[in-house]
């Protein structure tokens, strides 16, 4: 079927609409998902199309939302629990970690809880409690699948896979990507978990990244090419499971690795990736694995300070050049 | 039917004015200061000088002004992110408040918090908090410190009706009740939590009934009647201060603006909002002052002109102030020891 140019937001919506049509066991529950149409407008129109019994506005009660969705999943349903932003997932973290992630193993594989927990990372002068990147917290936990798409294509394909999965999936979107457009096939298709995507091929250095930072890396790569430097950009797409083959093969080709993330450095996603590359591709490395991440501060409101907190294109370019010098 | 385990409020019947004309005029000025402050903030937001979330209190000003008037200056306030009115009612200078919205170094919290995190410890204003319900246990904890240290202070915890559906609310209320903590829980029921009407999210639309489960005295009042707010908070605060344990007041009100900026407001009609306009607490108070012969149009105009000047000065101050130094990014993370 033909490709459409649609936004990341609409790609997600399409995956959910198809699932709602296909499977009566699918429901969406979350704050403002119905009448409001989703605070990031991802579910807009679904309430009118499918009704309030399938696109369900909840009280402000994240622990309840995740717990109820998990219980309904145990009861044979396929709930999508939307947590407005990843910051509020902290209110639900006991349910996610001690129930959702544990049901299958704790009961010896006799039960399953295939809930999809959709949430959004992101920032924008929202200050310390509303601008956080907690993917490492979830990716740390055995029993969860954690995905973080960067493009409309991946968003739809990964969400469709999540909606067919028998496992709990933490599906982390990014508020600053919702308006990004890209080519997406019409109709159903799946992007598998644990398969990274080389978003740009290059020979001099590998940038390993995911979500919004993929775009920062690609812009930096455009700039670097003008200076004669070819970087390869590996988009992990899912953090758990993680496609080590693609990461290591890329590093074996370029001999240099930069891990680029929006979360904090200490104990973050980049720590895990750097450690694995350093061990498994040690002999192939021409330089130590480097990392660029968010500054280790609670995010301040002031726009000038906030801008200083994240790696941008210029900082990536500078870092890559320093690594190749 | 669940009947709240509450002493029937006496204030509703007791409508004889207990306040002086001077106080009455001061309240009008304070409410207007909050209104104009937020209108200026809203304009600055459209100019992209203010960013992030901006939750306006327009239409709810009587609750903050009436409540603060009934508190002692060293009573402690914790509030949610809809906090501008509380901070200004507490007597905080609008200049650093506006500068905070602009993200400037001269802001209330050095430009680090923005609209949702106004605070001024010297005013016993312990801040606006942005995680719904997250501050409710903090207020109970502050009250715990007053009780333990035998201080003659009480804590006030301000929240929206939507926050009463989250676990933290129930945990904090129960602990406060078990330990008889000197805290007043003040629920601003503005009918919506974002776009969700109260009856779509809460098993009871009369939020004060939730206090019954904790055997906490509670009442529901017209929050747009500033005098009633004042009298009610006085009565409930005094009970908490006398050691009778936590109290709850539910102040009924209505939010005229969207939840934050850029709210499409699909959840209510324009007519609904217009039908509530006559209930604007500032207009109601103006009318009452005129009725009592305490003010005339000229005096009201004089007050409003004074407020306009104060706000213009605050905006100028915010505009002229510098952004924080880049090095400020790394300060205030841990206490220097
Ligand atoms: C734990 C948590 N969940 C969700 C949100 C997003 N959110 C911010 S304000 C709000 C509505 C709160 O409504 P209410 O308590 O009635 O206060 P109001 O805004 O009406 O004054 C929501 C859902 C949040 N900040 N924190
Ligand atoms: Mg409300």
């Amino acid at each position: 079927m033909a490709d459409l140019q649609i936004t990341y937001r609409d790609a997600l919506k399409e995956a959910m609409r198809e699932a709602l049509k296909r499977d009566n066991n699918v429901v969406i529950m979350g704050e403002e998902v119905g009448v409001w149409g989703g605070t990031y407008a991802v579910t807009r129109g679904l309430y009118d199309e499918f009704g309030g019994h399938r696109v369900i506005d909840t009280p402000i009660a994240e622990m309840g939302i995740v717990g109820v969705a998990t219980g309904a999943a145990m009861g044979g349903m396929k709930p999508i629990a939307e947590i407005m932003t990843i910051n509020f997932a902290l209110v639900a973290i006991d349910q996610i970690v001690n129930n959702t992630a544990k049901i299958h193993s704790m009961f010896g594989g006799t039960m399953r809880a295939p809930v999809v927990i959709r949430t959004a990372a992101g920032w924008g002068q929202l200050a310390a409690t509303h601008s956080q990147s907690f993917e490492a917290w979830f990716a740390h936990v055995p029993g969860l699948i954690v995905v973080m798409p960067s493009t409309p294509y991946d968003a739809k394909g990964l969400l469709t896979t999540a909606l067919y999965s028998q496992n709990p999936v933490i599906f982390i979107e990014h508020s600053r990507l919702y308006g990004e457009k890209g080519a997406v096939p019409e109709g159903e298709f799946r992007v598998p978990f644990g398969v990274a995507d080389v978003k740009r091929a290059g020979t001099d250095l590998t940038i390993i990244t995911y979500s919004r930072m993929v775009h920062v890396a690609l812009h930096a790569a455009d700039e670097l090419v003008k200076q004669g430097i070819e970087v390869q950009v590996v988009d992990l797409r899912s953090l758990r499971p993680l496609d080590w083959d693609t990461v290591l093969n890329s590093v074996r080709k370029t001999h240099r690795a930069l891990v680029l993330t929006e979360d904090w450095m200490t104990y973050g996603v980049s720590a895990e990736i750097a450690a694995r590359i350093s061990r498994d591709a040690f002999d192939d490395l021409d330089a130590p694995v480097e990392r660029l991440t968010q500054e280790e501060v609670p995010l301040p409101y002031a726009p000038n300070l906030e801008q200083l907190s994240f790696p941008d294109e210029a900082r990536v370019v500078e870092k890559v050049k320093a690594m190749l010098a | 039917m669940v009947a709240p385990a509450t002493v029937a409020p006496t204030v509703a019947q007791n409508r004889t004015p207990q306040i002086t004309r001077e106080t009455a005029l001061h309240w009008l000025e304070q409410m207007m200061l909050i209104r104009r402050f937020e209108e200026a903030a809203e304009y600055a937001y459209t100019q992209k000088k203010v960013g992030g979330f901006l939750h306006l209190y327009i239409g709810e000003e009587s609750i903050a002004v009436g409540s603060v008037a009934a508190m002692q200056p060293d009573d402690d306030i914790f509030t949610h992110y809809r906090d501008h009115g509380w901070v200004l009612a507490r007597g905080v200078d609008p200049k650093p408040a506006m500068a905070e919205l602009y993200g400037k170094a001269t802001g209330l919290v050095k430009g680090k918090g923005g609209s949702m995190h106004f605070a001024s410890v010297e005013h016993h204003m312990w801040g606006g908090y942005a995680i719904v319900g997250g501050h409710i246990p903090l207020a109970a904890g502050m009250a715990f410190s007053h009780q333990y240290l035998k201080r003659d202070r009480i804590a006030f915890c301000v929240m929206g009706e939507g926050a009463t559906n989250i676990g933290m609310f129930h945990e904090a209320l129960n602990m406060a009740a078990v330990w008889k903590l000197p805290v007043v829980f003040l629920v601003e029921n503005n009918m919506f939590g974002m776009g969700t009407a109260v009856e779509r999210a809460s098993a009871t639309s009369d939020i004060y009934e939730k206090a019954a489960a904790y055997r906490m005295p509670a009442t529901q009042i017209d929050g747009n009647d500033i005098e009633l707010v004042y009298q009610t908070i006085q009565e409930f605060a005094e009970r908490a201060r006398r050691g009778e344990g936590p109290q709850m007041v539910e102040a009924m009100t209505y939010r005229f603006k969207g939840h934050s900026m850029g709210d499409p407001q699909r959840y209510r009609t324009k007519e609904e909002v217009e039908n509530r306009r006559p209930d604007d607490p500032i207009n109601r108070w103006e009318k009452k002052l005129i009725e009592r012969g305490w003010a005339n149009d000229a005096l009201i105009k004089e007050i409003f002109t004074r407020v306009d000047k104060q706000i213009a000065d605050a905006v100028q101050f915010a505009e002229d102030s510098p952004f924080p130094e880049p090095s400020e990014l790394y300060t205030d993370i841990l206490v220097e020891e």
Side-chain angles (χ1 to χ4, degrees), chain A residues 31 60 62 88, chain B residues 80-82 130 132 160-163 190 192-193 259:
Chain A
E31 293 157 22
I60 307 167
E62 286 76 9
F88 315 147
Chain B
H80 56 167
Y81 46 82
R82 201 176 296 285
V132 167
E161 86 297 330
N190 60 9
F192 292 96
H259 168 72

Side-chain angles (χ1 to χ4, degrees), chain A residues 32 44 57 130 295 301-302 304, chain B residues 101 111 193 196 200 266 324 330:
Chain A
E32 308 302 332
R44 184 175 296 172
D57 283 320
H130 274 50
E295 294 299 302
Y301 165 79
N304 65 323
Chain B
L101 294 182
T196 306
R200 298 183 64 232
R266 265 186 277 276
Y330 306 100

